[in-house]
Amino acid sequence: MYLPAAFEEQRPDALHALIQAHPLGTLVTHSAEGLDANHIPFELDATASPHGTLRAHVARANPVWQQAADAEVLVIFHAADAYISPNWYPSKPEHHKHVPTWNYAVVHAHGVLRVRDDERFLRGLLARLTREHEARSQQPRPWMMEDAPPDHIDGLLKLIVGIEVEITRVVGKSKLGQNRETRDRLGAADGLAALGQHAVARAMREAGPGA
């Protein structure tokens, strides 16, 4: 990934926060069959290894767990993104030396994929994922695994396989206007907010030189 110094994110807490806030990762693998990508919700255990460990499950029918077992993989996590118009920069009328761009934040997690084909691992993983994302759904009564018939859950567990990626290298990029004048960065944030793109606008307001 092209990574100018102004956009490099090295803070572990910020990298982990992006993964946890946007857990649908793109698992990129390479095998004898060529390049492949699967889109999977991951759980991050930030304390399991120096850079954290990712856990997820895939359908047993999905060949990725066999093709990429014990192989190096890349998992990409993407926060909100937005088109940036030069018209939002207060300095534009002064010299007109601005062009459009795109702002975004991503994390690339590198590691080796391990297969965890055991029921205990899967039950624990599914219970944690369910609790986390049902809580985010803000329902009066969150769904629990116990709501489904036990034999139904038992049958479904046989149809999935667990995977685990111990992160060996993590690269973060936050391209949020840090290379602009403060007034231009904040002006673009205001432009996005007016369109309802509050996530990117908020991130841009919090960014700054060296962030």
Side-chain angles (χ1 to χ4, degrees):
M1 175 169 61
Y2 176 56
L3 191 59
F7 304 141
E8 186 174 7
E9 177 57 79
Q10 296 180 326
R11 297 170 298 171
D13 57 339
L15 298 170
H16 289 164
L18 187 148
I19 293 173
Q20 291 168 331
H22 305 277
L24 184 66
T26 300
L27 172 65
V28 181
T29 58
H30 186 262
S31 67
E33 286 72 22
L35 282 168
D36 193 16
N38 284 266
H39 308 281
I40 304 167
F42 282 87
E43 172 194 53
L44 170 67
D45 185 343
T47 64
S49 65
H51 297 291
T53 295
L54 300 169
R55 300 187 180 104
H57 63 86
V58 298
R60 189 172 292 276
N62 186 338
V64 67
W65 65 275
Q66 295 169 312
Q67 294 173 348
D70 301 319
E72 292 187 5
V73 300
L74 168 65
V75 188
I76 302 172
F77 297 93
H78 205 298
D81 62 276
Y83 170 83
I84 305 298
S85 170
N87 290 330
W88 292 332
Y89 297 141
S91 67
K92 174 183 174 288
E94 298 171 8
H95 51 68
H96 298 281
K97 294 180 180 179
H98 289 304
V99 294
T101 190
W102 208 282
N103 281 1
Y104 57 91
V106 294
V107 169
H108 288 191
H110 300 256
V112 175
L113 187 146
R114 308 294 185 194
V115 175
R116 297 295 303 273
D117 192 9
D118 64 87
E119 183 178 323
R120 182 177 179 182
F121 173 88
L122 286 168
R123 283 187 182 275
L125 173 64
L126 293 175
R128 293 189 301 273
L129 287 172
T130 298
R131 284 196 299 269
E132 170 69 19
H133 297 293
E134 284 290 318
R136 294 190 189 192
S137 71
Q138 301 181 11
Q139 299 177 74
R141 185 186 180 280
W143 183 88
M144 299 182 294
M145 289 177 65
E146 292 78 10
D147 290 347
D151 59 339
H152 180 64
I153 296 295
D154 292 344
L156 292 177
L157 284 169
K158 294 181 173 61
L159 300 178
I160 61 176
V161 177
I163 60 172
E164 189 171 70
V165 179
E166 180 179 332
I167 302 173
T168 56
R169 183 166 65 95
V170 60
V171 182
K173 183 175 183 178
S174 293
K175 182 181 177 296
L176 299 169
Q178 300 97 319
N179 58 329
R180 305 287 179 184
E181 292 183 52
T182 298
R183 59 173 176 160
D184 287 340
R185 175 169 50 83
L186 297 180
D190 291 342
L192 290 175
L195 296 177
Q197 298 191 53
H198 297 293
V200 184
R202 181 169 55 252
M204 289 179 64
R205 291 185 179 119
E206 295 172 353

